[in-house]
Structures are given as structure tokens and as C-alpha cells.
Amino acid sequence: MAPAARFRSVVVDCPEPRELARFYAAVGGGTTDEADPDWVVLHLPDGPRVSFQRAPDLTPPEWPRSDRNAQQFHLDFDGGATWTEMDAAHERVLALGARLLDREEKDFMVYADPAGHPFCLCRTEHS
């Protein structure tokens, strides 16, 4: 059966679209289209578009809670196949402004982006 529609992009609400698009461009690569300050598009290499839409009154999710103000989605990024690569990616996203939320002994680490949205760095050999 043919699909009803084609996937276009993921849209992220945030207070400052340009800043958050630049953060994710530094994390995952790609280029941004910043012509409209209220709607910024990140074109990831070999990936989907991620659009950032101005939401000035956004309340970030309370990770890991699900009883109120729960996360509605999160983005996963490959952080490398080894713990050395994961540690390097960890240091880089922290330097870019991410905040560590969970670094238990798992094959992924959970962070909050500068607007408070959760995202993960995942070990690629276990994806």
C-alpha cells in the first residue's frame, strides 16, 4: 500500500530557534536556513530536516518524569562505537551547552539541550 504522505521534518518548539538550530548543527553537522527568526530549518547531512519553531513560553519537560510536563520526543545521535569516542562526544556536547541528565552504565547518555529538551548520545555498535 502506498503511504498517505511523505515524512518532511521534525519540529522542535523552543524560545530561541536560531540558537537551538546552531546548537544541533554543532552536535550533528549540517547547515541552517535562518531567514525567518521564528522558524529555522537545520538540514542534517544524510538525515531529516529538523525545524525549530519559536515558542516563547515553552516549559521544558521534567526528565524523566511522565506524570506531568512529560517529554513528547527526543533526538538520538550516534556518539561512537567505543567508550573513548563516547567520552569525546560527551565532552563536546557539554562544551556546546548541553546539560547531563543521566550517565548510568548504559549504551547511551541522556542530556538536555540549551532549551531543556532531552537528547541522547548512543553507542553505534549497539544501535
Side-chain angles (χ1 to χ4, degrees):
M1 180 183 340
R6 290 183 312 141
F7 178 76
R8 179 174 172 89
S9 62
V10 173
V11 180
V12 179
D13 290 348
C14 59
E16 299 295 333
R18 285 182 174 155
E19 290 178 20
L20 200 56
R22 290 173 185 166
F23 170 81
Y24 279 111
V27 171
T31 58
T32 59
D33 175 354
E34 301 181 17
D36 180 349
D38 293 327
W39 181 267
V40 178
V41 178
L42 170 60
H43 301 273
L44 293 166
D46 301 320
R49 294 170 17 144
V50 181
S51 300
F52 300 88
Q53 172 178 268
R54 185 173 308 280
D57 298 324
L58 175 79
T59 300
E62 296 178 43
W63 191 90
R65 295 183 68 132
S66 62
D67 58 339
R68 64 172 196 206
N69 198 28
Q71 69 174 333
Q72 296 178 357
F73 74 96
H74 71 271
L75 302 175
D76 284 346
F77 291 89
D78 290 337
T82 67
W83 284 111
T84 300
E85 293 170 327
M86 287 286 288
D87 288 341
H90 166 80
E91 293 301 326
R92 180 77 195 275
V93 299
L94 292 178
L96 293 169
R99 182 171 43 91
L100 182 64
L101 296 175
D102 186 355
R103 189 183 180 153
E104 292 183 26
E105 293 296 320
K106 302 180 227 176
D107 290 325
F108 61 92
M109 292 182 276
V110 183
Y111 302 84
D113 68 23
H117 301 100
F119 75 94
C120 295
L121 291 178
C122 304
R123 283 187 57 201
T124 55
E125 69 182 20
H126 296 283
S127 53

